[in-house]
Amino acid sequence: MDAPPTRPARRGTDRIPSGAGATEPSPDAVLIRKTLAEIAPIADKVTSYFYALMFTRHPEVRDMFPVAMDAQRDRLLKALLTAAEHIDDPEVLTPYLRRLGTGHRKYGTMAGHYPMVGEALMGALSRYAELTWGPEAEAAWVRAYTAISQIMIDAAAEDEFKAPAWWHAEVVAHDLRTPDIAVLTLRPDRPYAFLAGQYTSLETPWWPRVWRHYSFASAPRADGLLSFHVKAVPAGWVSNALVRHARPGDVLRLGPPAGSMVVDHSTDNGMLCLGGGTGIAPIKALIEDVAEHGERRRMEVFFGARSDTDLYDKDTLLGLQRSHPWLSVRPVVGEGLAGQLPQAVGENGPWSSYDAFISGPPAMIRSGVDALKRIGIPWERIRYDSVEELVGAAG
């Protein structure tokens, strides 16, 4: 099961903003946050005990998780703890939980599994929150978990009538652009609706039940094919499988689309786009989307990489620039991508009238958001989906 984002996506995609719930916290929220503060220094012990309780008491759910739990890490528990922490902000929390509930369908999660998870959660908290746990704290956590799980259950039940839990997708092309970067083209077995700028999750036959998130590298196509840019990362099980082992004819599993780093076609604001490494994939999709809508809004794209070799899609982007006079593409090369790319953006502009889109490694996103705010782009017009942080560890 997926983790919540620690710095989740803008525009309410999968984000629970750190400033959420700025009003006076409820009594339940106060108790929950005290528990969270107590267990924070021993999170690893709490996580291990949580899974041990769940698998010992309910061994039938073990098959829903990867064989090697180091890939799973603390995702499920972190999702629950983060949701509980923000229990006072239903306007933000409810959409996040609904997406989490529908997304968990691909793991085979059913309504009957939620009480098992809740039982393990309460057991782990009561074991390690020695100072703050008691009847009042337990009651607060039970109320919070009941509310959280019901939202997820209801969302999953509604989604069953709209879409499958997953799609099978055949690899029809595998283009190795660099020794570590491949462009994969997939053909889903059923129609797959998504928006340019979104992402999805992939599972390979080599690592069952291990899912990783990847952004769509093109706008929806008439032939229904899907494109992804994948970089093999150290110890990345899924990414290495996709780059080094996947071949045409292999069949992957595809989760539902998510994220809202998408074009707002109701405005003609300029678009400032920062793509670092394979983070250029959703930016390329946004360019195609704007072109297909026949718009002529200014679109400024900065494509950053550590070396010229890693600018693997530069020729495609420059070709799009030649075809569309409203598009400008600026490659940026240099070590320290987190600082190099935002610095290049700051040296140009002004950008105060632009909507900003950022995609790339988490450090680049963090520095990019800070740089964009410094140069005058309002916070609410900075959009990103921090996929790597969403899943806890890229791979």
Side-chain angles (χ1 to χ4, degrees), residues 8 49 185 242 248 252-253 274 335:
Y49 194 72
T185 304
L242 292 173
L252 313 177
R253 285 209 297 176
L274 285 68
E335 289 294 328

Side-chain angles (χ1 to χ4, degrees), residues 91-288:
E91 184 178 345
V92 173
L93 184 59
T94 299
Y96 163 69
L97 290 174
R98 288 184 60 82
R99 282 184 295 274
L100 207 58
T102 56
H104 280 185
R105 289 182 59 214
K106 66 179 179 283
Y107 300 106
T109 305
M110 296 183 292
H113 292 130
Y114 284 88
M116 303 176 191
V117 174
E119 178 186 350
L121 173 64
M122 300 306 156
L125 293 175
S126 64
R127 169 70 173 78
Y128 285 99
E130 298 176 354
L131 301 178
T132 57
W133 196 257
E136 292 185 358
E138 181 177 9
W141 275 95
V142 168
R143 285 189 289 268
Y145 181 76
T146 301
I148 288 167
S149 59
Q150 194 60 55
I151 292 170
M152 295 175 66
I153 291 168
D154 291 346
E158 293 173 22
D159 195 56
E160 283 188 44
F161 296 100
K162 304 175 185 176
W166 64 77
W167 291 251
H168 286 106
E170 179 185 358
V171 178
V172 297
H174 185 282
D175 179 11
L176 196 63
R177 296 289 183 86
T178 77
D180 297 320
I181 297 175
V183 175
L184 278 71
T185 304
L186 309 182
R187 178 187 292 116
D189 61 345
R190 286 168 284 185
Y192 189 96
F194 70 99
L195 298 175
Q198 289 189 306
Y199 61 88
T200 187
S201 51
L202 294 175
E203 180 204 47
T204 73
W206 300 281
W207 295 106
R209 301 185 296 281
V210 179
W211 295 78
R212 291 294 183 265
H213 292 79
Y214 296 98
S215 296
F216 298 102
S218 65
R221 296 167 43 162
D223 59 11
L225 296 180
L226 309 173
S227 179
F228 299 93
H229 296 181
V230 182
K231 180 178 177 64
V233 299
W237 296 0
V238 174
S239 65
N240 277 279
L242 292 173
V243 172
R244 310 194 193 286
H245 300 294
R247 295 293 181 267
D250 289 332
V251 177
L252 313 177
R253 285 209 297 176
L254 188 71
S260 66
M261 195 184 75
V262 299
V263 181
D264 180 359
H265 292 289
S266 68
T267 177
D268 58 1
N269 291 347
M271 294 172 59
L272 171 62
C273 302
L274 285 68
T278 52
I280 199 62
I283 303 300
K284 179 173 173 283
L286 295 178
I287 295 171
E288 294 180 0

Side-chain angles (χ1 to χ4, degrees), residues 39-59:
I39 66 172
I42 51 172
D44 288 346
K45 291 183 178 180
V46 177
T47 300
S48 297
Y49 194 72
F50 166 77
Y51 283 115
L53 281 179
M54 187 161 57
F55 295 157
T56 300
R57 295 175 180 176
H58 305 284

